[in-house]
C-alpha cells in the first residue's frame, strides 16, 4: 500500500515528534478533526499492511505511537519515504518531464511505470496530459525504439522547461530522495557548484533565499550534465543581448570558469538566471542600483498613493524593499524565467481590493517591460504593499508586547505572504524579522516567539504554521498561540472542544459547516475577542460608508472651493468620524501640494492622512449644481471626502467607487439622480 502527500507528511511529523498531539497536527496541516481522523486511518492502514501496530488517538488528544514504529521509520526514513509515497497525477506529470530532461539512459514505459509505481496504461495517459505543457515551450515528446521517450526542440526551451519542472519537483515531499538517485550527476558537481554559489553570494553582495539556493544548485548540476552530454546553447534570444555589457556578466566569467564553462552563450544564460533569482537580502544596495528600474518603482509607489488615497510614511524604505523584489522580477519577465511558485489565488482571495489597486498602480512597470506583468509577480507586489500598510496602520496603533520573528524556507512570495498574514492575525505581537533558515541559525537579535514552517532548534517558543493556513483554521491557530503565550483567555472559546461536546450528545451531519457557524458566532465583530481574534479586518462596502446621511445635493454654489470641501465634510464631523483639524489639513494639502485627486470628469476625492484627525473610516459626497474651480488647477461639481484611521479599511469601498465611476458612468449617474435616496439606490444596484 502506498500513501499520498498528506499521509506521508503526517506520519513523518509523528515519527519525528512522538509527543505530537491531534490538535497540533490539525494546526500544522490545516486539517479539520474529521480530516485528521481520515488521515490517521490511512496511516494505520499502511502500518497494518506492513505488519506494524497502529497509532492510537487517546481521549486526551494525545497519540500513542508504538516504539518499534518510531524506531523503524526514523532509521529508514529516507529509504522508506520514497517507497511508500504515492505520487499525485500532477506530480507524476512533472516527474515524467523531469526524467525525460535529465535522463542518461533510454526511457521506456516500463522504466517510467516502475519508477512512479503505476501501470503502463497510467503512464500513457499521463504522457498525453503533459504534452500540452511541453508544447507551450515549443517542444514535443517523441518516442523511437533506439532512444525511447525523449523531448525534441530548442535547448533553451528545454532549459526553461527543466527549471519550471524542477521547482515543482522540489515541492514533492520525497524530492531529495528523487534527486539523490542521480548520483552520477550530483556526486560530480554538487560540492563544486555549492562552493561557486557561496562565492557568487559574496561577490554579488547578496544572499539567496533558502529555496532559491537549493533550486539553483540542483539546476546548474543538471545543466552541467546536459553540457557534458553535448546539449549546448547554440543560440540565445535578442532580449539577452544587454547581459554581456552588465557588471554581473563580468563577475560570472571569473566565477564560472572554475567549472570549465567557457561558452559565451552559456555564460549569458547563467548570468540571466542569477539576475532573475529571488534574494533574501542585499549587503550593498548601491552595488545593484539601476536608475531606470528605481525610477519605475518610485512612479509605482506614487501612483499607489494616489489610487489608494493613502499617504505612505517612510516611503523611501518601501521603495527600497519593492526595488529589491522588482529588479529580479524584471529580469524574470524579460528573460521568460517565470516563477511558478505563486500565492496568486490566496492573494486575490484575501486582498482582492488591494490587489486591484496595485495592478492599476503597476502600469509604469508594464510600460517599461512593454508587456503585462504575470499574475504571480503582481501577487507579490500586492503582498509587499499590504504588508507595509499593515505595518504602518495596524501594528503601530496597538501596544507592542512580545517580539516575534518568522522563519520560512519557501520562496520570497510565500515568505512575505506568511509574514503579512501573521502580522494581521497577531496585532499584539511585534514582528521584527522575516528570516530564512540560514539567517535564523546566525541570528543574534532579540525575539520572544518564532513562527516557522518547520521545526527549529531554539530555546524560545516555536509555532509551526502552514503558509497557506485557511480561514477556518486561523481562529483556532490564534487561540492556540495566545493561550500558550498568556495562558487561557476566558473570552476565547475553543471551537474544537465545543464540537467534541456536541458529538457526545448527538450526530453532527456537517462537521465543517458547524465549525464555520460557531466561528462566525463566537468571533463576531461585536464579541470581546473579535477585535484581535479574527484575521479578517472589517472591510465596509461603499454603501456602508456612504449612507444617505453622508450624501448631500447643494441647491446653490458655495462661496469658494474651501467652503465646498468644508460643506462636504460636515456630516463626517457631526458623526464623529473626523476632528475639525482633518478638514484644515485637507484644505492646506490641496492649496499647497495640489495633488491629483480627480477620480473621473468633474469628480474629486479629498482626504488627509490616518494621523491627521481621522477617528474612524467614512465617506461623504457633495453634489454641486455646476462645476467650480479648485485651487485653480481642476474643475469639479462632485466632491467626495474620504477619512480613514486604518490604511486598509477603506480599500473595498474605494475599489467599488472606482468601479462605479469607470464602468457605470458613475459621475453622470450622480448628476442625474433625483435625490439622495435615489442615488443610494443606484449605487446599490451597480456594486
Amino acid at each position: 500500500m502506498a500513501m499520498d502527500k498528506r499521509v506521508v507528511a503526517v506520519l513523518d511529523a509523528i515519527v519525528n515528534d512522538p509527543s505530537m498531539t491531534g490538535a497540533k497536527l490539525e494546526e500544522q496541516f490545516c486539517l479539520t478533526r474529521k480530516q485528521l481522523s481520515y488521515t490517521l486511518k490511512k496511516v494505520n492502514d499502511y502500518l497494518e499492511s506492513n505488519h506494524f501496530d497502529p497509532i492510537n488517538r487517546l481521549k486526551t488528544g494525545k497519540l500513542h505511537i508504538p516504539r518499534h514504529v518510531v524506531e523503524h521509520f526514523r532509521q529508514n526514513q529516507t529509504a522508506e519515504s520514497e517507497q511508500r509515497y504515492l505520487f499525485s497525477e500532477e506530480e507524476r506529470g512533472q516527474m515524467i518531464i523531469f526524467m525525460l530532461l535529465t535522463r542518461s539512459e533510454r526511457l521506456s514505459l516500463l522504466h517510467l511505470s516502475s519508477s512512479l509505481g503505476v501501470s503502463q496504461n497510467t503512464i500513457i495517459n499521463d504522457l498525453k496530459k503533459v504534452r500540452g505543457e511541453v508544447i507551450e515551450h515549443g517542444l514535443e515528446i517523441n518516442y523511437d525504439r533506439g532512444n525511447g521517450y525523449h523531448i525534441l526542440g530548442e535547448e533553451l526551451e528545454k532549459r526553461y522547461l527543466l527549471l519550471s519542472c524542477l521547482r515543482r519537483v522540489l515541492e514533492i515531499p520525497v524530492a531529495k530522495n528523487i534527486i539523490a538517485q542521480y548520483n552520477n550527476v550530483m556526486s560530480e558537481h554538487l560540492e563544486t557548484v555549492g562552493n561557486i554559489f557561496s562565492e557568487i553570494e559574496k561577490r554579488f553582495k547578496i544572499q539567496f533565499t533558502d529555496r532559491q539556493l537549493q533550486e539553483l544548485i540542483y539546476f546548474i548540476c543538471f545543466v552541467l550534465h546536459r553540457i557534458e552530454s553535448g546539449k549546448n546553447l547554440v543560440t540565445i534570444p535578442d532580449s539577452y543581448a544587454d547581459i554581456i555589457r552588465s557588471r554581473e556578466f563580468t563577475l560570472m566569467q571569473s566565477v564560472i570558469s572554475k567549472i570549465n564553462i567557457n561558452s559565451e552563450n552559456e555564460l549569458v544564460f547563467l548570468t540571466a538566471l542569477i539576475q532573475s533569482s529571488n534574494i533574501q537580502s542585499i549587503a550593498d544596495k548601491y552595488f545593484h542600483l539601476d536608475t531606470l528600474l528605481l525610477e519605475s518603482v518610485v512612479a509605482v509607489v506614487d501612483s499607489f498613493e494616489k489610487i489608494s488615497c493613502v499617504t505612505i510614511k517612510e516611503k523611501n524604505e518601501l521603495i527600497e524593499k519593492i526595488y529589491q523584489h522588482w529588479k529580479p522580477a524584471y529580469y524574470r519577465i524579460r528573460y521568460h524565467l517565470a516563477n511558478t511558485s505563486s500565492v496568486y489565488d490566496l492573494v486575490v482571495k484575501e486582498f482582492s481590493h488591494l490587489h486591484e489597486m496595485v495592478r492599476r498602480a503597476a502600469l509604469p512597470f508594464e510600460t517599461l517591460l512593454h508587456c503585462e506583468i504575470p499574475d504571480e509577480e503582481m501577487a507579490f507586489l500586492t503582498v509587499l504593499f499590504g504588508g507595509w500598510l499593515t505595518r504602518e496602520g495596524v501594528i503601530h496603533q496597538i501596544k507592542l508586547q512580545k517580539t516575534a520573528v518568522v522563519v520560512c524556507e519557501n520562496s520570497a512570495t510565500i515568505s512575505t505572504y506568511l509574514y503579512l498574514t501573521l502580522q494581521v492575525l497577531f496585532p499584539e505581537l511585534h514582528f521584527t524579522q522575516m528570516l530564512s533558515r540560514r539567517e535564523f541559525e546566525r541570528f543574534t537579535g532579540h525575539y520572544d516567539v518564532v513562527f516557522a514552517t518547520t521545526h527549529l532548534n531554539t530555546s524560545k517558543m516555536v509555532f509551526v504554521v502552514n503558509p497557506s493556513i485557511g480561514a477556518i483554521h486561523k481562529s483556532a491557530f490564534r487561540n492556540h498561540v495566545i493561550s500558550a503565550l498568556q495562558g487561557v483567555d476566558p473570552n476565547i472559546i475553543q471551537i474544537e472542544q465545543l464540537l467534541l461536546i456536541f458529538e457526545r450528545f448527538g450526530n453532527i451531519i456537517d462537521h465543517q459547516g458547524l465549525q464555520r457557524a460557531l466561528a462566525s458566532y463566537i468571533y463576531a465583530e461585536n464579541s470581546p475577542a473579535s477585535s484581535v481574534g479574527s484575521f479578517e479586518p472589517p472591510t465596509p462596502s461603499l454603501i456602508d460608508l456612504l449612507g444617505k446621511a453622508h450624501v448631500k445635493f447643494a441647491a446653490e454654489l458655495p462661496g469658494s472651493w474651501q467652503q465646498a470641501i468644508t460643506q462636504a465634510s460636515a456630516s463626517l464631523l457631526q458623526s464623529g468620524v473626523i476632528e475639525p483639524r482633518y478638514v484644515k489639513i485637507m484644505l492646506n494639502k490641496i492649496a499647497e501640494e495640489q495633488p491629483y485627486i480627480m477620480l473621473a470628469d468633474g469628480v474629486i476625492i479629498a482626504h488627509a492622512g490616518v494621523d491627521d484627525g481621522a477617528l474612524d473610516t467614512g465617506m461623504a459626497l457633495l453634489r454641486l449644481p455646476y462645476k467650480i474651480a479648485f485651487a485653480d488647477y481642476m474643475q469639479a461639481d462632485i466632491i467626495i471626502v474620504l477619512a480613514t484611521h486604518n490604511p486598509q479599511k477603506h480599500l473595498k469601498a474605494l475599489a467599488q467607487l472606482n468601479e462605479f465611476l469607470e464602468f457605470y458612468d458613475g459621475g453622470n449617474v450622480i448628476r442625474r439622480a433625483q435625490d439622495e435616496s435615489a442615488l443610494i439606490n443606484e449605487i446599490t444596484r451597480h456594486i
Side-chain angles (χ1 to χ4, degrees):
M1 175 187 172
M3 298 188 289
D4 60 23
K5 182 186 291 187
R6 178 193 291 172
V7 177
V8 170
V10 168
L11 178 56
D12 288 342
I14 294 171
V15 168
N16 288 315
D17 182 10
S19 66
M20 182 73 70
T21 64
K24 285 183 179 179
L25 288 172
E26 290 170 11
E27 173 195 314
Q28 183 173 339
F29 295 99
C30 292
L31 301 174
T32 64
R33 189 168 180 269
K34 188 175 181 179
Q35 288 171 329
L36 178 61
S37 297
Y38 177 72
T39 302
L40 289 175
K41 182 181 181 303
K42 292 184 73 174
V43 169
N44 284 333
D45 287 345
Y46 172 81
L47 292 174
E48 290 174 1
S49 69
N50 288 275
H51 311 293
F52 291 102
D53 293 332
I55 295 169
N56 293 315
R57 189 176 187 183
L58 307 177
K59 290 183 178 181
T60 59
K62 294 182 179 180
L63 302 175
H64 178 263
I65 308 146
R67 180 175 292 181
H68 65 279
V69 171
V70 175
E71 292 174 351
H72 176 83
F73 284 96
R74 277 189 178 177
Q75 291 172 2
N76 303 280
Q77 203 163 27
T78 301
E80 290 268 354
S81 56
E82 186 180 1
Q83 184 181 348
R84 56 192 165 88
Y85 188 77
L86 178 65
F87 294 97
S88 68
E89 182 181 298
E90 184 181 350
E91 289 171 344
R92 286 200 310 273
Q94 294 305 311
M95 282 298 303
I96 288 171
I97 295 173
F98 178 73
M99 292 168 72
L100 293 178
L101 289 171
T102 56
R103 71 189 194 124
S104 54
E105 58 182 0
R106 182 181 179 275
L107 288 180
S108 65
L109 279 179
L110 181 60
H111 283 100
L112 294 171
S113 65
S114 61
S115 297
L116 299 176
V118 292
S119 70
Q120 293 187 32
N121 284 335
T122 300
I123 294 296
I124 291 173
N125 290 328
D126 290 337
L127 283 166
K128 290 178 182 177
K129 291 172 182 175
V130 299
R131 285 184 193 277
E133 181 177 352
V134 174
I135 289 172
E136 286 179 4
H137 286 266
L139 306 169
E140 64 173 303
I141 298 175
N142 191 49
Y143 175 82
D144 61 64
R145 286 195 173 185
N147 294 308
Y149 285 96
H150 55 282
I151 294 178
L152 296 176
E154 293 290 330
E155 176 62 20
L156 182 64
E157 291 298 332
K158 291 180 183 179
R159 302 273 183 95
Y160 289 154
L161 181 58
L162 176 58
L163 182 60
S164 173
C165 172
L166 179 61
R167 285 169 174 161
R168 298 178 202 177
V169 168
L170 288 174
E171 294 176 356
I172 300 174
V174 294
K176 291 182 179 178
N177 307 334
I178 296 167
I179 301 294
Q181 292 181 356
Y182 292 81
N183 290 327
N184 61 323
V185 178
M186 295 295 114
S187 59
E188 285 185 48
H189 304 300
L190 194 58
E191 184 177 353
T192 304
V193 173
N195 292 334
I196 282 174
F197 273 98
S198 295
E199 190 170 345
I200 287 174
E201 286 187 320
K202 187 184 297 182
R203 293 202 180 192
F204 281 59
K205 302 178 181 181
I206 57 175
Q207 184 177 59
F208 296 107
T209 64
D210 294 343
R211 179 61 62 86
Q212 184 72 82
L213 182 63
Q214 181 190 48
E215 177 190 298
L216 286 169
I217 290 174
Y218 286 148
F219 181 68
I220 298 302
C221 285
F222 288 116
V223 166
L224 288 173
H225 177 64
R226 293 188 65 83
I227 293 172
E228 290 168 358
S229 303
K231 298 166 184 173
N232 300 298
L233 287 176
V234 179
T235 59
I236 54 174
D238 293 338
S239 58
Y240 282 38
D242 293 339
I243 293 177
I244 297 174
R245 296 185 294 273
S246 68
R247 175 168 39 185
E248 288 88 351
F249 181 78
T250 304
L251 290 173
M252 284 294 290
Q253 280 182 303
S254 59
V255 177
I256 298 298
S257 62
K258 296 180 181 180
I259 51 176
N260 298 319
I261 293 182
N262 300 309
S263 165
E264 186 174 270
N265 286 349
E266 295 290 356
L267 283 168
V268 167
F269 174 76
L270 293 175
T271 303
L273 192 65
I274 299 301
Q275 286 180 325
S276 59
S277 294
N278 288 320
I279 54 177
Q280 189 77 32
S281 59
I282 298 175
D284 185 355
K285 62 185 179 183
Y286 299 106
F287 181 89
H288 297 266
L289 190 62
D290 184 306
T291 305
L292 194 63
L293 296 183
L294 181 61
E295 287 175 352
S296 68
V297 173
V298 172
V300 168
V301 174
D302 287 344
S303 178
F304 178 80
E305 283 191 307
K306 294 172 184 175
I307 292 170
S308 66
C309 296
V310 169
T311 301
I312 296 174
K313 307 169 191 173
E314 301 177 5
K315 187 189 295 186
N316 288 339
E317 191 178 341
L318 175 59
I319 288 170
E320 287 180 15
K321 192 170 184 68
I322 293 177
Y323 177 82
Q324 181 174 324
H325 162 73
W326 174 238
K327 186 173 180 180
Y330 169 81
Y331 289 118
R332 279 197 295 273
I333 300 167
R334 186 175 174 185
Y335 302 147
H336 306 290
L337 294 164
N339 189 352
T340 56
S341 178
S342 171
V343 292
Y344 176 72
D345 292 338
L346 290 169
V347 168
V348 171
K349 182 181 177 182
E350 299 278 5
F351 312 107
S352 57
H353 304 293
L354 174 63
H355 182 69
E356 183 55 36
M357 291 181 183
V358 172
R359 184 175 287 283
R360 291 173 60 196
L363 284 176
F365 287 163
E366 296 186 341
T367 302
L368 183 64
L369 283 163
H370 304 292
C371 68
E372 290 187 0
I373 298 175
D375 288 341
E376 57 269 17
E377 300 291 357
M378 192 64 75
F380 191 82
L381 288 171
T382 300
V383 169
L384 282 175
F385 276 105
W388 208 260
L389 293 181
T390 301
R391 164 184 152 171
E392 292 199 342
V394 178
I395 302 300
H396 292 294
Q397 292 176 14
I398 298 172
K399 183 179 179 180
L400 303 179
Q401 297 177 351
K402 295 185 182 294
T403 299
V405 296
V406 179
V407 181
C408 185
E409 295 178 308
N410 300 72
S411 69
T413 307
I414 301 286
S415 301
T416 308
Y417 177 82
L418 179 60
Y419 191 73
L420 169 59
T421 299
L422 292 171
Q423 279 186 315
V424 179
L425 191 59
F426 299 100
E428 58 274 82
L429 297 178
H430 179 37
F431 288 84
T432 61
Q433 297 285 337
M434 181 176 68
L435 305 166
S436 68
R437 188 172 188 131
R438 287 191 298 159
E439 286 180 317
F440 179 74
E441 289 169 352
R442 300 191 299 269
F443 185 64
T444 58
H446 171 75
Y447 62 93
D448 303 300
V449 185
V450 183
F451 292 91
T453 55
T454 186
H455 292 282
L456 300 170
N457 291 322
T458 174
S459 60
K460 302 296 178 68
M461 297 187 75
V462 179
F463 298 99
V464 179
V465 58
N466 189 319
S468 57
I469 182 172
I472 294 175
H473 298 88
K474 285 171 183 170
S475 291
F477 181 64
R478 173 180 162 77
N479 295 341
H480 168 71
V481 173
I482 296 298
S483 297
L485 293 175
Q486 301 177 354
V488 178
D489 186 338
N491 292 318
I492 296 174
I493 302 174
Q494 300 291 338
I495 293 175
E496 289 297 326
Q497 295 301 315
L498 282 178
L499 291 173
L500 288 172
I501 295 170
F502 292 161
E503 286 178 343
R504 287 168 51 194
F505 296 97
N507 295 322
I508 300 175
I509 300 173
D510 183 1
H511 189 283
Q512 197 168 354
L514 179 59
Q515 188 180 41
R516 282 196 297 268
L518 286 171
S520 176
Y521 175 73
I522 294 169
Y523 302 114
E525 191 173 335
N526 59 359
S527 80
S530 69
S531 60
V532 291
S534 173
F535 171 75
E536 299 289 345
T539 51
S541 68
L542 180 58
I543 292 300
D544 292 332
L545 297 184
L546 195 64
K548 184 180 176 182
H550 295 301
V551 177
K552 183 175 178 60
F553 293 175
E556 299 178 354
L557 290 175
S560 64
W561 67 267
Q562 291 94 335
Q563 289 181 11
I565 298 287
T566 303
Q567 192 174 336
S569 308
S571 65
L572 297 178
L573 273 168
Q574 292 168 6
S575 59
V577 174
I578 58 175
E579 297 175 353
R581 67 187 179 99
Y582 190 88
V583 182
K584 293 180 180 179
I585 293 171
M586 272 195 303
L587 295 174
N588 290 336
K589 187 175 181 178
I590 294 172
E592 296 172 7
E593 299 177 18
Q594 295 194 351
Y596 186 79
I597 56 176
M598 190 76 70
L599 294 180
D601 180 38
V603 183
I604 63 171
I605 184 164
H607 64 92
V610 294
D611 299 325
D612 295 332
L615 304 175
D616 203 345
T617 298
M619 276 186 180
L621 184 149
L622 174 67
R623 187 186 76 180
L624 303 177
Y626 306 100
K627 290 181 181 178
I628 64 171
F630 284 76
D632 297 324
Y633 76 100
M634 55 185 175
Q635 299 271 330
D637 59 342
I638 299 170
I639 303 104
I640 297 169
V641 174
L642 168 68
T644 183
H645 69 309
N646 180 320
Q648 296 192 69
K649 195 173 178 180
H650 69 294
L651 295 183
K652 179 179 180 179
L654 186 58
Q656 290 176 333
L657 175 63
N658 281 316
E659 183 178 336
F660 175 65
L661 294 170
E662 183 175 351
F663 297 108
Y664 301 105
D665 193 21
N668 287 324
V669 171
I670 296 170
R671 295 181 182 98
R672 290 193 299 264
Q674 295 292 319
D675 53 38
E676 290 87 343
S677 297
L679 175 58
I680 295 299
N681 291 336
E682 282 293 312
I683 295 174
T684 304
R685 187 168 68 86
H686 286 102
I687 64 172

